[in-house]
Amino acid sequence: MLAIFHQAFAHPPEELNSPASLKSSKKPKLPDETLQEFLSSHPNNTSSMSFGDAAVLAYVRPDHHSLFHQNQRLFCGYDDIYCLFMGSLNNLCAQIKQYGLARNANEAMLVIEAYRTLRDRGPYPADQVIKDLDGSFAFVVYDSRVGTVFTALGSDGGVKLYWGIAADGSVVISDDLEAIKESCAKSFAPFPAGCIFHSEGGLMSFEHPMNKLRAMPRVDSEGVVCGANFKIDHYARVDSIPRVGSEANWAEWNFHEP
């Protein structure tokens, strides 16, 4: 899967952007170049949606034999909310029942409903909503009505996700490491497991919501700093509950002590 968001709609940690990208022999690329290369690498089974200059979502459609595989790929949209989902949930049936969805709902549909609940029907603890998802998963949600990005990666390491900064400052998110490297040059890193990224609330851990994340510089085989890994700082607590602006029509981020 591939998701690209204009810098006006997503504000990742500044440590993700490496100055070495400008000095590297391989320069970061513009979003259009990244999208075209992704589509051309899977010419027969790739779908994409563009939202003007704000965002683009693309995914490789699964073949028949991988529909129920642990690393299944799903894409769906409802009420101007779109979700790219990878992996699977062990408690999908229970979650479907909890949210009152149809029995044939899949993981992407469930994530959209969970997002709508957080956005419209709060206050709910965002960390607990994601923590209730049992399985190996990664997802990217884009609310095209308000320009909100919401991303999470499960904590068990069963699914990999990467993110980086394109030539124009856009945020690139993908499970395809080579696509990220080609797009972002030295400005990329693994997306941290057990974490949530919200375009206004920023990056935070859903496993340890009251602890800050510390950026640890990544050094590649050439000895060049390229992005950063983000680790839980068990000695640093958040000062206050982060809030997202009213423009996004999101309720206050609510966290509870783990």
Coordinates of all heavy atoms in Angstrom, one line a residue, residues 115-208:
Y115 N -12.8 5.0 13.7 CA -12.4 6.4 13.5 C -13.6 7.3 13.7 O -13.5 8.4 14.4 CB -11.8 6.6 12.2 CG -11.6 8.0 11.8 CD1 -10.5 8.7 12.2 CD2 -12.6 8.6 11.0 CE1 -10.4 10.1 11.8 CE2 -12.5 10.0 10.6 CZ -11.4 10.7 11.1 OH -11.3 12.0 10.7
R116 N -14.7 7.0 13.1 CA -15.9 7.8 13.2 C -16.4 7.9 14.6 O -16.9 9.0 15.1 CB -17.1 7.2 12.3 CG -16.8 7.3 10.8 CD -17.9 6.6 10.0 NE -19.1 7.4 10.1 CZ -20.3 6.9 10.4 NH1 -20.5 5.6 10.6 NH2 -21.4 7.7 10.4
T117 N -16.3 6.9 15.4 CA -16.6 6.9 16.8 C -15.7 7.9 17.6 O -16.2 8.7 18.4 CB -16.5 5.5 17.4 OG1 -17.4 4.6 16.8 CG2 -16.8 5.5 18.9
L118 N -14.4 7.8 17.3 CA -13.5 8.8 18.0 C -13.8 10.2 17.5 O -13.7 11.1 18.3 CB -12.1 8.4 17.6 CG -11.5 7.1 18.3 CD1 -10.2 6.7 17.7 CD2 -11.4 7.4 19.8
R119 N -14.1 10.4 16.3 CA -14.3 11.7 15.7 C -15.6 12.4 16.2 O -15.7 13.5 16.6 CB -14.3 11.7 14.2 CG -14.3 13.1 13.6 CD -14.6 13.0 12.1 NE -15.9 12.4 11.8 CZ -16.4 12.2 10.6 NH1 -15.6 12.5 9.5 NH2 -17.6 11.8 10.4
D120 N -16.7 11.6 16.2 CA -18.0 12.1 16.3 C -18.7 11.9 17.7 O -19.6 12.6 18.1 CB -18.9 11.6 15.2 CG -18.4 12.0 13.8 OD1 -17.7 13.0 13.7 OD2 -18.8 11.3 12.9
R121 N -18.3 10.8 18.3 CA -19.1 10.3 19.5 C -18.3 10.3 20.7 O -18.7 9.6 21.7 CB -19.7 9.0 19.2 CG -20.5 8.9 17.9 CD -20.9 7.4 17.7 NE -21.2 7.2 16.3 CZ -21.5 6.0 15.8 NH1 -21.4 4.9 16.6 NH2 -21.8 5.8 14.5
G122 N -17.1 11.0 20.8 CA -16.3 11.0 21.9 C -17.0 11.6 23.1 O -18.1 12.1 23.0
P123 N -16.4 11.6 24.3 CA -15.0 11.2 24.5 C -14.8 9.7 24.7 O -15.5 9.1 25.5 CB -14.6 12.0 25.7 CG -15.8 12.2 26.5 CD -17.0 12.3 25.5
Y124 N -13.9 9.2 23.9 CA -13.4 7.8 24.2 C -11.9 7.9 24.2 O -11.3 8.7 23.6 CB -13.8 6.9 23.0 CG -15.3 6.6 23.0 CD1 -16.2 7.3 22.2 CD2 -15.8 5.5 23.7 CE1 -17.5 7.0 22.2 CE2 -17.1 5.2 23.7 CZ -18.0 5.9 22.9 OH -19.3 5.6 22.9
P125 N -11.3 7.0 25.0 CA -9.8 7.0 25.0 C -9.3 6.4 23.7 O -9.5 5.2 23.4 CB -9.5 6.1 26.2 CG -10.7 5.2 26.4 CD -11.9 6.0 25.9
A126 N -8.6 7.2 22.9 CA -8.1 6.7 21.6 C -7.1 5.6 21.7 O -7.1 4.6 20.9 CB -7.4 7.9 20.9
D127 N -6.3 5.6 22.8 CA -5.3 4.5 23.0 C -6.1 3.2 23.2 O -5.7 2.1 22.7 CB -4.4 4.8 24.1 CG -5.1 5.0 25.4 OD1 -5.9 6.0 25.5 OD2 -4.9 4.2 26.4
Q128 N -7.2 3.2 24.0 CA -7.9 2.0 24.3 C -8.6 1.5 23.1 O -8.7 0.2 22.9 CB -8.9 2.2 25.4 CG -9.5 1.0 25.9 CD -8.5 0.0 26.5 OE1 -7.7 0.4 27.3 NE2 -8.5 -1.2 26.0
V129 N -9.1 2.3 22.2 CA -9.8 1.9 21.0 C -8.9 1.1 20.1 O -9.3 0.0 19.6 CB -10.4 3.1 20.2 CG1 -10.9 2.7 18.9 CG2 -11.6 3.7 21.0
I130 N -7.7 1.6 19.9 CA -6.7 0.9 19.1 C -6.2 -0.4 19.8 O -5.9 -1.4 19.2 CB -5.6 1.8 18.7 CG1 -6.1 3.0 18.0 CG2 -4.6 1.1 17.7 CD1 -7.0 2.8 16.8
K131 N -6.0 -0.2 21.1 CA -5.5 -1.4 21.9 C -6.4 -2.5 21.9 O -6.0 -3.7 22.1 CB -5.2 -0.9 23.3 CG -4.3 -1.8 24.1 CD -4.1 -1.3 25.5 CE -3.4 0.0 25.5 NZ -3.1 0.5 26.9
D132 N -7.7 -2.3 21.7 CA -8.7 -3.3 21.6 C -8.6 -4.2 20.4 O -9.3 -5.2 20.3 CB -10.1 -2.7 21.7 CG -10.5 -2.3 23.1 OD1 -9.8 -2.7 24.1 OD2 -11.5 -1.5 23.3
L133 N -7.9 -3.7 19.4 CA -7.7 -4.4 18.1 C -6.6 -5.5 18.3 O -5.4 -5.2 18.5 CB -7.3 -3.5 17.0 CG -8.2 -2.3 16.7 CD1 -7.7 -1.5 15.6 CD2 -9.7 -2.8 16.4
D134 N -7.0 -6.7 18.4 CA -6.1 -7.9 18.7 C -5.7 -8.5 17.3 O -6.5 -9.1 16.7 CB -6.8 -8.9 19.6 CG -5.9 -10.1 19.8 OD1 -4.7 -10.0 19.7 OD2 -6.5 -11.2 20.1
G135 N -4.4 -8.4 17.0 CA -3.9 -9.0 15.8 C -2.7 -8.3 15.3 O -2.1 -7.5 15.9
S136 N -2.3 -8.7 14.1 CA -1.2 -8.0 13.3 C -1.8 -7.1 12.3 O -2.5 -7.6 11.4 CB -0.3 -9.1 12.7 OG 0.2 -10.0 13.6
F137 N -1.5 -5.8 12.4 CA -2.2 -4.9 11.5 C -1.4 -3.6 11.4 O -0.6 -3.2 12.2 CB -3.6 -4.6 12.1 CG -3.6 -3.8 13.4 CD1 -3.6 -2.4 13.5 CD2 -3.6 -4.5 14.6 CE1 -3.5 -1.7 14.7 CE2 -3.6 -3.8 15.8 CZ -3.6 -2.5 15.8
A138 N -1.8 -2.9 10.3 CA -1.4 -1.5 10.0 C -2.5 -0.9 9.2 O -3.1 -1.6 8.4 CB 0.0 -1.5 9.3
F139 N -2.8 0.4 9.5 CA -3.8 1.0 8.7 C -3.5 2.5 8.5 O -2.8 3.1 9.3 CB -5.2 0.8 9.2 CG -5.4 1.5 10.6 CD1 -5.7 2.8 10.7 CD2 -5.5 0.7 11.7 CE1 -5.9 3.4 11.9 CE2 -5.8 1.2 13.0 CZ -6.0 2.6 13.1
V140 N -4.0 3.0 7.4 CA -4.0 4.5 7.2 C -5.4 4.9 6.8 O -6.0 4.4 5.9 CB -3.0 4.8 6.0 CG1 -3.0 6.3 5.7 CG2 -1.6 4.3 6.2
V141 N -5.9 5.9 7.6 CA -7.2 6.4 7.4 C -7.1 7.9 6.9 O -6.3 8.6 7.4 CB -8.1 6.4 8.7 CG1 -9.3 7.2 8.5 CG2 -8.4 5.0 9.1
Y142 N -7.8 8.2 5.8 CA -7.8 9.6 5.4 C -9.3 10.1 5.3 O -10.1 9.5 4.6 CB -7.2 9.7 4.0 CG -7.3 11.1 3.5 CD1 -6.6 12.2 4.1 CD2 -7.9 11.5 2.3 CE1 -6.7 13.5 3.7 CE2 -8.0 12.8 1.8 CZ -7.4 13.8 2.5 OH -7.4 15.1 2.1
D143 N -9.6 11.1 6.1 CA -10.9 11.7 6.1 C -10.8 12.9 5.2 O -10.3 14.0 5.5 CB -11.2 12.2 7.6 CG -12.6 12.7 7.7 OD1 -13.2 13.1 6.7 OD2 -13.1 12.8 8.9
S144 N -11.3 12.7 3.9 CA -11.2 13.7 2.9 C -12.1 14.9 3.1 O -11.8 16.0 2.6 CB -11.5 13.1 1.5 OG -12.9 12.7 1.5
R145 N -13.1 14.8 3.9 CA -14.0 15.9 4.2 C -13.2 17.0 5.0 O -13.5 18.2 4.8 CB -15.2 15.4 5.0 CG -16.2 16.5 5.1 CD -17.5 16.0 5.8 NE -18.1 14.9 5.0 CZ -19.1 14.2 5.4 NH1 -19.7 14.4 6.6 NH2 -19.6 13.3 4.6
V146 N -12.4 16.6 5.9 CA -11.7 17.6 6.8 C -10.2 17.5 6.6 O -9.5 18.3 7.3 CB -12.1 17.3 8.3 CG1 -13.6 17.7 8.5 CG2 -11.8 15.9 8.7
G147 N -9.7 16.6 5.8 CA -8.2 16.6 5.6 C -7.4 16.0 6.7 O -6.3 16.4 7.0
T148 N -8.0 15.0 7.4 CA -7.3 14.4 8.6 C -6.7 13.0 8.2 O -7.3 12.2 7.5 CB -8.4 14.2 9.7 OG1 -8.9 15.4 10.1 CG2 -7.7 13.5 10.9
V149 N -5.5 12.8 8.7 CA -4.8 11.6 8.5 C -4.7 10.9 9.9 O -4.4 11.5 10.9 CB -3.4 11.8 8.0 CG1 -2.6 10.5 7.8 CG2 -3.4 12.6 6.7
F150 N -5.0 9.6 9.9 CA -4.9 8.8 11.1 C -4.3 7.4 10.8 O -4.8 6.7 10.0 CB -6.3 8.6 11.7 CG -6.4 7.9 13.0 CD1 -5.6 8.2 14.1 CD2 -7.4 6.9 13.2 CE1 -5.6 7.5 15.3 CE2 -7.5 6.2 14.4 CZ -6.6 6.5 15.5
T151 N -3.2 7.1 11.4 CA -2.4 5.9 11.1 C -2.0 5.2 12.4 O -1.8 5.8 13.4 CB -1.1 6.3 10.3 OG1 -1.4 7.0 9.1 CG2 -0.3 5.1 9.9
A152 N -2.0 3.9 12.3 CA -1.6 3.1 13.4 C -0.9 1.8 13.0 O -1.2 1.3 11.9 CB -2.7 2.7 14.3
L153 N 0.0 1.3 13.8 CA 0.7 0.0 13.5 C 0.6 -0.8 14.8 O 1.0 -0.3 15.9 CB 2.2 0.3 13.2 CG 3.0 -1.0 12.9 CD1 2.5 -1.8 11.8 CD2 4.5 -0.6 12.7
G154 N 0.2 -2.1 14.6 CA 0.1 -3.0 15.8 C 1.4 -3.2 16.5 O 2.5 -2.9 15.9
S155 N 1.4 -3.7 17.7 CA 2.6 -3.8 18.5 C 3.3 -5.1 18.4 O 4.4 -5.3 18.9 CB 2.2 -3.6 20.0 OG 1.2 -4.5 20.4
D156 N 2.7 -6.1 17.7 CA 3.4 -7.4 17.7 C 4.4 -7.6 16.6 O 5.1 -8.7 16.6 CB 2.3 -8.5 17.5 CG 1.6 -8.6 16.2 OD1 1.9 -7.6 15.4 OD2 0.9 -9.5 15.9
G157 N 4.6 -6.7 15.7 CA 5.7 -6.8 14.7 C 5.3 -7.6 13.5 O 6.2 -7.9 12.7
G158 N 4.1 -8.1 13.5 CA 3.7 -9.0 12.4 C 3.5 -8.3 11.0 O 3.6 -8.9 10.0
V159 N 3.3 -7.0 11.1 CA 3.2 -6.2 9.8 C 4.2 -5.0 9.9 O 4.4 -4.5 11.0 CB 1.8 -5.6 9.7 CG1 1.7 -4.7 8.5 CG2 0.8 -6.8 9.6
K160 N 4.9 -4.8 8.8 CA 5.9 -3.7 8.8 C 5.3 -2.5 8.1 O 4.5 -2.6 7.1 CB 7.1 -4.1 8.1 CG 7.8 -5.4 8.7 CD 8.2 -5.1 10.1 CE 8.9 -6.4 10.7 NZ 9.3 -6.2 12.1
L161 N 5.6 -1.3 8.5 CA 5.2 -0.1 7.9 C 6.3 0.9 8.0 O 7.1 1.0 8.9 CB 4.0 0.5 8.6 CG 3.2 1.6 7.9 CD1 2.5 1.1 6.6 CD2 2.1 2.1 8.9
Y162 N 6.5 1.8 6.9 CA 7.5 2.8 6.8 C 6.9 4.1 6.5 O 5.9 4.2 5.9 CB 8.6 2.3 5.8 CG 9.1 0.9 6.0 CD1 8.5 -0.2 5.4 CD2 10.2 0.7 6.8 CE1 8.9 -1.5 5.6 CE2 10.7 -0.6 7.0 CZ 10.0 -1.7 6.4 OH 10.5 -2.9 6.6
W163 N 7.7 5.2 6.9 CA 7.2 6.5 6.5 C 8.4 7.4 6.2 O 9.6 7.1 6.7 CB 6.3 7.1 7.5 CG 6.8 7.3 8.9 CD1 7.9 6.7 9.5 CD2 6.2 8.2 9.9 NE1 8.0 7.1 10.8 CE2 7.0 8.0 11.1 CE3 5.1 9.0 9.9 CZ2 6.7 8.7 12.3 CZ3 4.8 9.7 11.1 CH2 5.6 9.5 12.2
G164 N 8.2 8.4 5.5 CA 9.3 9.3 5.1 C 8.8 10.6 4.5 O 7.6 10.9 4.4
I165 N 9.8 11.5 4.1 CA 9.5 12.8 3.6 C 9.9 12.9 2.1 O 11.0 12.6 1.8 CB 10.2 13.9 4.4 CG1 9.9 13.7 5.9 CG2 9.8 15.3 3.9 CD1 8.5 13.8 6.3
A166 N 8.9 13.2 1.2 CA 9.2 13.4 -0.2 C 9.9 14.7 -0.5 O 10.1 15.5 0.4 CB 7.9 13.3 -1.0
A167 N 10.2 14.9 -1.8 CA 11.0 16.1 -2.1 C 10.2 17.4 -1.8 O 10.9 18.4 -1.5 CB 11.3 16.0 -3.6
D168 N 8.9 17.4 -1.9 CA 8.2 18.6 -1.6 C 7.7 18.7 -0.2 O 6.9 19.6 0.2 CB 7.0 18.7 -2.6 CG 5.9 17.6 -2.3 OD1 6.3 16.6 -1.6 OD2 4.8 17.7 -2.8
G169 N 8.2 17.8 0.7 CA 7.8 17.9 2.1 C 6.6 17.0 2.4 O 6.1 16.9 3.6
S170 N 6.0 16.4 1.4 CA 4.8 15.5 1.6 C 5.2 14.3 2.5 O 6.4 13.9 2.4 CB 4.2 15.0 0.3 OG 3.7 16.1 -0.4
V171 N 4.3 13.7 3.2 CA 4.5 12.5 4.0 C 4.2 11.3 3.2 O 3.1 11.2 2.6 CB 3.7 12.5 5.3 CG1 4.0 11.3 6.1 CG2 4.0 13.8 6.1
V172 N 5.1 10.3 3.1 CA 4.9 9.1 2.4 C 4.8 7.9 3.4 O 5.7 7.8 4.2 CB 6.0 8.9 1.4 CG1 5.7 7.6 0.5 CG2 6.2 10.1 0.5
I173 N 3.8 7.1 3.3 CA 3.6 6.0 4.2 C 3.4 4.7 3.3 O 2.5 4.7 2.4 CB 2.4 6.2 5.1 CG1 2.6 7.5 5.9 CG2 2.3 5.0 6.1 CD1 1.3 7.8 6.7
S174 N 4.1 3.6 3.6 CA 4.0 2.4 2.8 C 4.5 1.2 3.5 O 5.4 1.4 4.4 CB 4.7 2.6 1.4 OG 4.6 1.5 0.6
D175 N 4.1 0.1 3.1 CA 4.7 -1.2 3.6 C 5.8 -1.6 2.7 O 6.5 -2.6 3.0 CB 3.6 -2.3 3.7 CG 3.1 -2.6 2.3 OD1 2.7 -1.7 1.6 OD2 3.0 -3.8 2.0
D176 N 6.0 -0.9 1.6 CA 7.0 -1.3 0.6 C 8.3 -0.5 0.9 O 8.4 0.7 0.6 CB 6.5 -0.9 -0.8 CG 7.4 -1.4 -1.9 OD1 8.6 -1.5 -1.7 OD2 6.9 -1.6 -3.0
L177 N 9.3 -1.1 1.5 CA 10.5 -0.4 1.9 C 11.2 0.2 0.7 O 11.7 1.3 0.8 CB 11.4 -1.4 2.6 CG 12.8 -0.8 3.1 CD1 12.6 0.4 3.9 CD2 13.6 -1.9 3.8
E178 N 11.3 -0.5 -0.4 CA 12.0 0.0 -1.6 C 11.3 1.2 -2.1 O 12.0 2.2 -2.6 CB 12.1 -1.1 -2.7 CG 13.0 -2.2 -2.3 CD 14.4 -1.8 -1.9 OE1 15.0 -0.9 -2.6 OE2 14.9 -2.3 -0.8
A179 N 10.0 1.3 -2.1 CA 9.2 2.4 -2.6 C 9.5 3.6 -1.7 O 9.7 4.8 -2.2 CB 7.7 2.2 -2.6
I180 N 9.6 3.4 -0.4 CA 10.0 4.5 0.5 C 11.4 5.0 0.3 O 11.6 6.2 0.3 CB 9.8 4.0 2.0 CG1 8.3 3.8 2.4 CG2 10.5 5.0 3.0 CD1 7.6 5.1 2.6
K181 N 12.3 4.1 0.1 CA 13.7 4.5 -0.1 C 13.8 5.3 -1.4 O 14.5 6.3 -1.4 CB 14.6 3.3 -0.2 CG 14.9 2.5 1.1 CD 15.8 1.3 0.8 CE 16.2 0.7 2.1 NZ 17.0 -0.5 1.9
E182 N 13.1 4.9 -2.5 CA 13.2 5.6 -3.7 C 12.6 7.0 -3.6 O 13.0 7.9 -4.2 CB 12.5 4.8 -4.8 CG 13.3 3.5 -5.2 CD 14.6 3.9 -5.9 OE1 14.7 4.9 -6.7 OE2 15.6 3.2 -5.6
S183 N 11.5 7.1 -2.9 CA 10.8 8.3 -2.7 C 11.4 9.3 -1.8 O 11.5 10.5 -2.1 CB 9.4 8.1 -2.2 OG 8.7 9.3 -2.0
C184 N 12.0 8.8 -0.7 CA 12.4 9.7 0.4 C 13.9 9.8 0.6 O 14.4 10.6 1.5 CB 11.8 9.3 1.7 SG 10.0 9.1 1.6
A185 N 14.7 9.1 -0.2 CA 16.2 9.1 -0.1 C 16.6 8.8 1.4 O 16.3 7.7 1.8 CB 16.7 10.4 -0.6
K186 N 17.2 9.7 2.1 CA 17.6 9.4 3.4 C 16.6 9.8 4.5 O 16.8 9.6 5.7 CB 18.9 10.2 3.7 CG 20.1 9.8 2.8 CD 20.6 8.4 3.0 CE 21.8 8.1 2.1 NZ 22.3 6.7 2.3
S187 N 15.5 10.4 4.1 CA 14.5 10.9 5.1 C 13.4 9.9 5.3 O 12.3 10.1 4.8 CB 14.0 12.3 4.6 OG 15.0 13.2 4.6
F188 N 13.7 8.8 5.9 CA 12.7 7.7 6.1 C 13.0 6.9 7.3 O 14.2 7.0 7.8 CB 12.5 6.8 4.9 CG 13.6 5.8 4.8 CD1 13.4 4.5 5.3 CD2 14.8 6.1 4.1 CE1 14.4 3.6 5.1 CE2 15.8 5.1 4.0 CZ 15.6 3.9 4.5
A189 N 12.1 6.2 7.8 CA 12.3 5.3 9.0 C 11.2 4.3 9.1 O 10.1 4.5 8.5 CB 12.4 6.1 10.3
P190 N 11.4 3.2 9.9 CA 10.2 2.4 10.2 C 9.2 3.1 11.0 O 9.6 3.9 11.9 CB 10.9 1.2 11.0 CG 12.3 1.2 10.6 CD 12.6 2.7 10.4
F191 N 7.9 2.9 10.7 CA 6.9 3.5 11.6 C 6.9 2.7 12.9 O 7.0 1.5 12.9 CB 5.5 3.3 10.9 CG 4.4 4.1 11.6 CD1 4.1 5.4 11.2 CD2 3.7 3.6 12.6 CE1 3.1 6.1 11.8 CE2 2.7 4.3 13.3 CZ 2.4 5.6 12.9
P192 N 6.9 3.4 14.0 CA 7.1 2.7 15.3 C 5.9 1.8 15.7 O 4.7 2.3 15.6 CB 7.2 3.9 16.3 CG 6.6 5.0 15.6 CD 6.8 4.9 14.2
A193 N 6.2 0.6 16.0 CA 5.1 -0.4 16.4 C 4.5 0.1 17.7 O 5.1 0.7 18.6 CB 5.7 -1.7 16.6
G194 N 3.2 -0.2 17.8 CA 2.4 0.2 19.0 C 2.1 1.7 19.0 O 1.9 2.2 20.1
C195 N 2.1 2.4 17.9 CA 1.9 3.8 17.9 C 0.8 4.3 17.0 O 0.4 3.6 16.0 CB 3.3 4.5 17.5 SG 4.5 4.5 18.8
I196 N 0.3 5.5 17.3 CA -0.7 6.2 16.5 C -0.1 7.5 15.9 O 0.7 8.1 16.7 CB -1.9 6.5 17.3 CG1 -2.5 5.3 18.0 CG2 -2.9 7.3 16.5 CD1 -3.5 5.7 19.1
F197 N -0.4 7.8 14.7 CA -0.1 9.1 14.2 C -1.3 9.8 13.7 O -2.1 9.2 12.9 CB 0.9 9.1 13.0 CG 1.1 10.4 12.4 CD1 1.9 11.4 13.0 CD2 0.6 10.7 11.1 CE1 2.0 12.6 12.4 CE2 0.8 11.9 10.5 CZ 1.5 12.9 11.1
H198 N -1.6 11.0 14.2 CA -2.7 11.8 13.8 C -2.2 13.1 13.3 O -1.2 13.7 13.8 CB -3.7 12.1 15.0 CG -4.9 12.8 14.6 ND1 -4.9 14.2 14.6 CD2 -6.1 12.4 14.2 CE1 -6.1 14.6 14.2 NE2 -6.9 13.5 13.9
S199 N -2.8 13.6 12.2 CA -2.2 14.8 11.5 C -2.1 16.0 12.4 O -1.3 16.9 12.1 CB -3.0 15.0 10.2 OG -4.4 15.2 10.5
E200 N -3.0 16.1 13.4 CA -2.9 17.2 14.3 C -2.4 16.8 15.7 O -1.7 17.6 16.3 CB -4.3 17.9 14.4 CG -4.7 18.6 13.1 CD -6.0 19.4 13.3 OE1 -6.3 19.8 14.4 OE2 -6.6 19.7 12.3
G201 N -2.7 15.6 16.1 CA -2.3 15.2 17.4 C -0.9 14.7 17.5 O -0.2 14.6 18.5
G202 N -0.3 14.4 16.3 CA 1.1 14.0 16.2 C 1.3 12.5 16.5 O 0.3 11.7 16.4
L203 N 2.5 12.1 16.8 CA 2.8 10.7 17.0 C 2.8 10.4 18.5 O 3.3 11.1 19.3 CB 4.3 10.4 16.5 CG 4.8 9.0 16.6 CD1 4.0 8.0 15.7 CD2 6.3 9.0 16.3
M204 N 2.2 9.3 18.9 CA 2.1 8.8 20.3 C 1.9 7.3 20.4 O 1.5 6.7 19.4 CB 1.0 9.6 21.0 CG -0.4 9.3 20.4 SD -1.6 10.6 20.9 CE -1.0 12.0 20.0
S205 N 2.3 6.8 21.5 CA 2.1 5.4 21.7 C 0.7 5.1 22.3 O 0.3 5.7 23.2 CB 3.2 4.9 22.8 OG 2.9 3.6 23.2
F206 N 0.1 4.0 21.7 CA -1.2 3.6 22.3 C -1.0 2.6 23.4 O -1.9 2.3 24.1 CB -2.2 3.1 21.2 CG -1.8 1.9 20.4 CD1 -1.9 0.6 21.0 CD2 -1.3 2.0 19.1 CE1 -1.6 -0.5 20.3 CE2 -1.0 0.9 18.4 CZ -1.1 -0.4 19.0
E207 N 0.2 2.0 23.5 CA 0.5 1.1 24.6 C 0.9 1.8 25.8 O 0.6 1.4 26.9 CB 1.7 0.2 24.1 CG 1.3 -0.8 23.1 CD 2.3 -1.9 22.9 OE1 3.5 -1.6 22.7 OE2 2.0 -3.1 23.1
H208 N 1.6 3.0 25.7 CA 2.1 3.8 26.8 C 1.7 5.2 26.6 O 2.6 6.1 26.3 CB 3.6 3.6 27.0 CG 4.1 2.2 27.2 ND1 4.0 1.6 28.4 CD2 4.6 1.4 26.3 CE1 4.5 0.3 28.2 NE2 4.8 0.2 26.9

